[in-house]
Amino acid sequence: MMHLIRQQSVKAVRGFTLLELLVVMVIIGLLAAYVGPKYFSQVGKSEIKMAQAQIDGLEKALHQYRLDVGSYPATEQGLAALVTRPSNEARWQGPYLAKMPPPDPWGRPYIYKYPGERSEFDLLSLGKDGQPGGEGEAADIKNW
């Protein structure tokens, strides 16, 4: 009788069976398959919102530059004119940004053109794909 009790307690300590582990792994896999795409789609949306917010901030700095200098920086001067005084601008009251403009959320510099083709100046990011046009996460983020 004593021998039988020891065998049962040893069996209880052994751990999970292979079937139990497989069931748990399948459940975890199903949860990951359900939650994963929802999580990663939110990451894409947050990158787009970040680019829109950065373009909005750069626009405000460019408008302040125009109020002081009288015109927007030339395309050749680019957004760097918001941080360092262009050599030919005596009325520059900057810096208009605390540091150089960051790259877009995908690591590429924002495109700035003055005069713009669509508005006074064009400021845009080419989106996730880095190509003009596109839809969804690959769409361009623009100031017009």
Side-chain angles (χ1 to χ4, degrees):
M1 183 73 162
M2 187 64 113
H3 181 64
L4 185 60
I5 293 173
R6 283 190 192 153
Q7 271 188 335
Q8 286 178 345
S9 65
V10 170
K11 253 188 177 176
V13 176
R14 280 192 201 173
F16 299 107
T17 66
L18 181 59
L19 183 60
E20 291 170 329
L21 289 174
L22 287 174
V23 168
V24 169
M25 289 175 61
V26 167
I27 291 171
I28 291 172
L30 289 172
L31 286 172
Y34 178 73
V35 173
K38 291 182 183 289
Y39 170 76
F40 287 112
S41 72
Q42 294 301 318
V43 170
K45 288 178 186 175
S46 67
E47 288 172 333
I48 292 169
K49 287 181 181 180
M50 181 186 297
Q52 290 169 334
Q54 287 175 339
I55 285 176
D56 185 52
L58 292 171
E59 265 190 304
K60 289 176 181 167
L62 285 162
H63 291 312
Q64 186 62 46
Y65 179 98
R66 185 184 61 81
L67 287 172
D68 290 347
V69 174
S71 68
Y72 293 105
T75 301
E76 298 77 33
Q77 294 170 322
L79 299 174
L82 299 172
V83 180
T84 57
R85 177 191 299 269
S87 58
N88 59 347
E89 292 300 341
R91 297 186 299 177
W92 190 84
Q93 300 293 314
Y96 301 95
L97 295 173
K99 56 185 178 179
M100 286 300 291
D104 68 13
W106 302 278
R108 292 181 293 277
Y110 286 98
I111 298 170
Y112 170 75
K113 293 179 188 174
Y114 177 75
E117 296 171 10
R118 304 278 167 88
S119 62
E120 285 186 276
F121 61 87
D122 293 347
L123 183 60
L124 68 136
S125 165
L126 295 177
K128 186 175 185 175
D129 65 351
Q131 302 296 319
E135 295 180 11
E137 290 181 29
D140 298 346
I141 297 107
K142 313 169 238 187
N143 71 319
W144 64 87

